[in-house]
């Protein structure tokens, strides 16, 4: 039976986040290049990326550099040079959006197709496979059935799918709302997140349907309950969103999905993890304790009722309880035993897993947090929706039983639902060292004709041997215990002894200083061997590229430079238009989304819940800006146009 390697890909805003992602269990880390990254605010220096590669590669963890904006003609040469510098730094792949880069002289690195390429059809992903791309990040909107269709059409390319984090409401690469409203292009790494703004919705007669709500804002993705189903559909790479998130988010969410994936591997031997080592933690990972707007699996199984976050685009965190009584300086709670949602999202109920290190250490005893009945403590941040429907919050000064005493008492009423979006105790834990990652190593100590020797073999198969000349003297006491004690002192190295074997023809005295020196030397050689043995895949690209499935390309192809234009023409596209950013069309569709306001309000003709009293087309208003909403009910799509 073929065993498929599965990778967990974690985000790195910076070097610290990248290192913590590795420590907390990532199989791969994606990080922004110094320039031309789809998160312009998350660029990193070449030296920082080199340091991350050196650390990650010890555990066979890969580092992917994001170079995924569309480029101008003037930027192509600079991007090409940057790609070579990233190659020299040790990165394992480049994540790109602009096909123009494929026409440049790139280093022999695998190319990954960014989700900004709009990878949502079998034909598109098949094309990427035929062009030599090694990995494709799928559109978040795809269902399990659609993923399976893509996998069947393109079996030789690794399918990567987002599994957790913030959701773009538009198909990635097809959103021009930020560019239209602010001049800041998402395809250029400068998205202003206009989808998180409050809008008023009007019908065709100008009647207000709903006012001042975040109508394009979605909940956050959480597919932790569907990992094995996604593997069965063809996904081999699970991606956590968050290159702008802080380090505590990276720690918590990486550890959570590491444990969920390991649980799948424990019961299904058809899959295995793609990197080496194991992680142990000081905490119980819990996704609701990190930034979230509530959770959704977002069309993975079917169209769900609750995917939106209309009231606020901010983090609500975890449910605390309902206010029962209010006094001048405190409020008491009731109903902390269950969520107010009668059908809570299963993804909000984390499963606890114990880490499985071989030996006890301080990271093996996690501090337990009660997930369903969180204990509010001083320093916690509590939020609620006020009478105006706006998110309001306060900091907890002290807690006495069911009574919460805020630093400043808000205008709050009985019946108000409270959430905690900052857990003081949890964040305090995560602000300290919260995980260790180790490679198990077998030590073999034996005597030779001229002294002693020590061999070390780690779980990746790397093996180092050192011989130490020494005049042997008989031991007065059995030396085995001291030998084991000295050889197991691996300290801050990435190794932990799994087994120590001692083979000597008789009991010889071995000084502790000699054992320490031999241990240090063999571990140093083992680390050096890891660098020598680590290799990136050999890549090649077809001399005769396939035909592009579309012959006429408009601005949505994001053709921003002459090389991209030449690429499409070489593949048979006879008509190509420049990008939205280069030449703004007069009647442009700014957003294409599976989120549907008619469905949200119960007016969907396929799933009707209410009679639609409003005249179409609808319009969105933000300040003095108007946008037209149209519904493609046949394909279950909504568009936002100028």
């Amino acid at each position: 039976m073929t065993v498929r390697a599965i990778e967990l890909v974690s985000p790195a805003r910076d070097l610290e986040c990248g290192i913590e992602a590795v420590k907390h269990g990532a199989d791969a880390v994606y990080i922004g290049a110094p320039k031309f990254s789809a998160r312009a605010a998350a660029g990193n220096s070449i030296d920082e990326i080199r340091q991350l590669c050196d650390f990650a590669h010890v555990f066979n963890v890969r580092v992917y550099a994001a170079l995924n904006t569309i480029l101008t003609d003037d930027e192509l040469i600079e991007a090409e040079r940057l790609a070579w510098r990233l190659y020299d730094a040790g990165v394992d792949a480049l994540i790109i959006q602009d096909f123009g880069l494929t026409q440049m002289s790139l280093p022999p690195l695998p190319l990954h197709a960014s989700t900004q390429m709009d990878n949502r059809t079998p034909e598109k992903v098949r094309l990427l496979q035929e062009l030599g791309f090694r990995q494709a990040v799928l559109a978040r909107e795809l269902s399990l059935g659609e993923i399976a269709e893509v996998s069947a059409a393109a079996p030789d390319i690794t399918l990567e799918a987002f599994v957790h984090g913030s959701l773009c409401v538009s198909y990635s690469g097809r959103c021009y709302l930020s560019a239209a409203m602010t001049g800041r292009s998402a395809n250029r790494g400068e998205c202003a997140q206009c989808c998180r703004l409050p809008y008023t919705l009007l019908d065709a007669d100008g009647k207000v349907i709903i006012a001042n709500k975040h109508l394009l804002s979605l909940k956050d993705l959480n597919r932790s309950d569907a990992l094995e189903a996604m593997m069965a559909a063809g996904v081999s790479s699970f991606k956590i969103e968050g290159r702008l998130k802080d380090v505590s988010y990276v720690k918590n969410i990486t550890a959570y999905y590491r444990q969920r994936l390991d649980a799948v591997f424990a019961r299904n031997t058809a899959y295995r993890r793609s990197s080496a080592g194991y992680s142990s933690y000081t905490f119980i990972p819990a996704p609701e304790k990190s930034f979230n707007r509530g959770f959704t699996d977002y069309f993975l199984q079917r169209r769900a009722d609750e995917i939106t976050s209309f009231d606020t685009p901010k983090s609500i965190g975890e449910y605390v309880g309902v206010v029962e009584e209010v006094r001048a300086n405190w409020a008491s709670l009731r109903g902390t035993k269950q969520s107010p949602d009668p059908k809570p999202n299963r993804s909000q109920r984390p499963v606890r897993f114990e880490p499985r290190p071989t030996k006890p250490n301080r990271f093996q005893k996690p501090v337990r947090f009660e997930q369903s009945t969180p204990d509010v403590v001083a320093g916690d941040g509590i939020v609620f929706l006020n009478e105006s429907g706006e998110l309001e919050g306060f900091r907890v000064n002290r807690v006495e039983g069911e009574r919460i005493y805020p630093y400043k008492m808000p205008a709050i009423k009985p019946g108000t639902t409270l959430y905690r979006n900052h857990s003081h105790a949890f964040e305090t834990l995560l602000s300290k060292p919260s995980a260790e990652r180790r490679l198990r190593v077998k030590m073999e100590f034996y005597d030779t004709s001229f002294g002693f020797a020590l061999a070390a073999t780690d779980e990746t198969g790397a093996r180092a041997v050192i011989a130490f000349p020494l005049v042997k003297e008989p031991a007065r006491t059995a030396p085995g215990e001291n030998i084991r004690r000295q050889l197991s002192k691996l300290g801050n190295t990435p190794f932990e002894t799994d087994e120590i074997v001692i083979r000597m023809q008789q009991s010889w005295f071995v000084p502790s200083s000699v054992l320490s020196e031999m241990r240090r030397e063999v571990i140093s050689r083992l680390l050096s061997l890891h660098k020598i043995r680590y290799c990136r895949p050999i890549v090649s690209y077809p001399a005769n590229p396939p035909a592009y499935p579309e012959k006429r390309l408009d601005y949505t192809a994001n053709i921003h430079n002459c090389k991209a234009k030449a690429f499409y023409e070489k593949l048979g596209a006879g008509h190509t238009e420049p990008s939205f950013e280069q030449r703004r069309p007069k009647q442009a569709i700014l957003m294409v989304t599976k989120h549907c306001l008619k469905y949200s309000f119960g007016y969907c003709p396929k799933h009707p819940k209410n009679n639609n009293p409003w005249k179409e087309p609808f319009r969105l208003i933000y300040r003095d800006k108007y946008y037209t909403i149209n519904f493609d009910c046949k394909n279950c799509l909504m568009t936002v146009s100028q």
Side-chain angles (χ1 to χ4, degrees), residues 354-514:
E354 296 293 344
R356 298 181 297 154
T358 56
K359 298 173 63 178
N361 58 53
R362 66 192 178 95
F363 288 87
Q364 193 175 356
K365 298 179 180 179
V367 177
R368 289 191 175 276
F369 284 84
E370 179 56 55
Q371 307 298 337
S372 60
T373 58
D375 294 326
V376 178
V377 300
D380 283 353
I382 304 296
V383 294
F384 62 95
L385 291 174
N386 61 26
E387 288 187 300
S388 300
E390 299 172 343
L391 195 71
E392 189 175 341
F394 60 86
R395 187 73 65 179
V396 176
N397 183 28
R398 71 179 193 275
V399 178
E400 296 178 1
E402 296 294 313
R403 295 181 180 181
I404 297 175
Y405 292 79
Y407 277 100
K408 182 179 179 181
M409 191 67 188
I412 195 169
K413 292 185 175 182
T416 301
T417 301
L418 301 185
Y419 299 87
R420 176 169 61 186
N421 66 359
H422 175 83
S423 172
H424 178 71
F426 193 72
E427 292 297 329
T428 298
L429 263 182
L430 292 182
S431 69
K432 302 173 183 178
S434 53
E436 285 182 343
R437 185 161 179 168
R438 301 291 192 203
L439 291 165
R440 295 177 176 88
V441 61
K442 177 181 179 181
M443 298 277 203
E444 300 169 87
F445 184 85
Y446 51 95
D447 57 356
T448 65
S449 59
F450 53 85
F452 301 95
L454 177 64
T457 307
D458 71 24
E459 62 184 84
T460 70
R463 179 179 173 84
V465 182
I466 181 174
F468 195 96
L470 188 71
V471 176
K472 289 178 281 192
E473 300 177 5
R476 296 180 181 178
T477 59
E481 182 179 348
N482 185 56
I483 292 173
R484 287 186 171 84
R485 182 169 59 251
Q486 296 300 325
L487 295 183
S488 64
K489 293 179 179 179
L490 296 180
N492 293 324
T493 73
F495 302 101
E496 184 168 279
T497 52
D498 186 40
E499 182 182 4
I500 297 177
V501 177
I502 301 172
R503 295 194 302 271
M504 292 194 293
Q505 294 180 4
Q506 70 179 75
S507 287
W508 299 113
F509 169 69
V510 187
S512 294
S513 59
V514 170

Side-chain angles (χ1 to χ4, degrees), residues 13-225:
R13 180 180 66 182
D14 51 29
L15 175 61
E16 179 189 12
C17 286
I19 287 175
E20 292 302 332
V22 175
K23 287 182 178 180
H24 287 73
D27 299 307
V29 175
Y30 65 107
I31 189 168
K35 293 184 70 175
F36 312 129
S37 159
R39 294 290 184 268
N44 295 271
S45 71
I46 293 294
D47 184 61
E48 289 170 328
I49 294 173
R50 180 180 290 108
Q51 291 180 60
L52 177 58
C53 291
D54 289 343
F55 181 79
H57 290 168
V58 171
F59 303 97
N60 291 340
V61 171
R62 291 166 296 282
V63 177
Y64 304 145
L67 205 64
N68 58 335
T69 63
I70 55 175
L71 304 164
T72 66
D73 288 320
D74 295 338
E75 292 169 338
L76 284 169
I77 293 296
E78 185 180 1
E80 179 186 80
R81 292 170 179 165
L82 180 55
W84 280 98
R85 293 176 65 202
L86 291 166
Y87 173 74
D88 292 338
V91 303
D92 297 279
L94 300 176
I95 307 170
I96 71 167
Q97 175 186 4
D98 197 324
F99 276 120
L101 269 176
T102 66
Q103 308 304 294
M104 306 297 288
S105 177
L106 295 179
L109 279 174
L111 295 181
H112 292 188
S114 170
T115 190
Q116 292 294 116
M117 280 188 168
D118 192 21
N119 306 320
R120 55 179 158 128
T121 66
E123 295 78 16
K124 178 64 174 291
V125 180
R126 175 79 180 185
L127 172 70
L128 293 169
Q129 175 182 286
E130 293 175 349
L131 287 170
F133 280 78
R134 290 295 184 90
Q135 200 148 311
V137 187
L138 299 176
R140 294 169 173 90
E141 292 82 358
L142 297 188
S143 66
L144 287 171
E146 290 169 328
I147 292 172
E149 290 176 5
V150 171
S151 179
D156 298 326
I157 189 171
T158 298
L159 300 185
E160 182 176 330
F162 280 96
V163 70
H164 196 95
S166 299
L167 281 166
C168 293
V169 66
S170 175
Y171 281 100
S172 293
R174 295 289 302 273
C175 186
Y176 309 97
L177 187 61
S178 176
M181 290 183 70
T182 69
R184 294 169 53 183
S185 166
N187 285 316
R188 297 277 290 161
E190 300 172 338
C191 180
Q193 296 190 346
C194 297
C195 56
R196 303 295 181 184
L197 295 173
Y199 293 90
T200 293
L201 185 66
L202 305 180
D203 76 351
D205 293 328
K207 296 177 181 178
V208 175
I209 300 173
I210 189 169
N212 202 36
K213 288 293 183 180
H214 303 271
L215 298 175
L216 300 178
S217 180
L218 300 180
K219 291 181 178 180
D220 286 0
L221 191 65
N222 185 326
R223 289 173 169 171
S224 56
D225 284 344

Side-chain angles (χ1 to χ4, degrees), residues 7 23 61 108 142 178 217 237 326 353 396 498 535 541 549 621 628:
E7 72 173 4
K23 287 182 178 180
V61 171
L142 297 188
S178 176
S217 180
S237 179
V326 178
F353 298 91
V396 176
D498 186 40
C535 60
Y541 298 99
I621 303 176
T628 301

